[in-house]
Amino acid sequence: MPHHYRCPVCAIRSRPYWTRAGAEEHGRAHRRRYHGGDHPDGERIQHLPHRTPERGEVIAVALVLALLALALLLK
Ligand SMILES: [Zn+2]
C-alpha cells in the first residue's frame, strides 16, 4: 500500500513509497531542508488505497516476463 508524506504548509505531497518508513524519511529530509528541522502543523503520512494497474502496464509486464522466459529457454 503506497504511503505519501504531506506538508500542508508547502502544499506538497511526496512521491509514493511502498513503506511507511520511506515516506517518513522523505518527511525528515523535507523538514530539515525547508523548515529547519521543525514539524509543520498538519504534516502527516498518508496511506493511499492500492490502485489497479492500467492495461498498458499489465501488457508491459507480461512482455518482459515472456522475454525473460524465452531467454531462459534459449540459454
Ligand atoms: Zn513543508
Side-chain angles (χ1 to χ4, degrees):
M1 180 182 295
H3 297 78
H4 294 265
Y5 168 76
R6 286 193 55 104
C7 177
V9 174
C10 300
I12 58 104
R13 183 176 73 187
S14 73
R15 63 184 175 274
Y17 291 90
W18 285 109
T19 63
R20 182 178 180 87
E24 287 173 346
E25 181 54 35
H26 186 106
R28 275 190 287 276
H30 178 83
R31 283 193 299 274
R32 276 194 306 266
R33 183 168 184 174
Y34 297 105
H35 303 286
D38 296 333
H39 290 258
D41 282 344
E43 72 169 352
R44 65 182 184 270
I45 303 297
Q46 203 175 29
H47 302 253
L48 294 183
H50 179 72
R51 70 175 180 88
T52 305
E54 295 179 17
R55 187 168 175 244
E57 293 171 322
V58 173
I59 291 171
V61 169
L63 282 174
V64 168
L65 290 176
L67 288 173
L68 285 173
L70 184 63
L72 288 174
L73 288 174
L74 297 176
K75 191 174 180 180

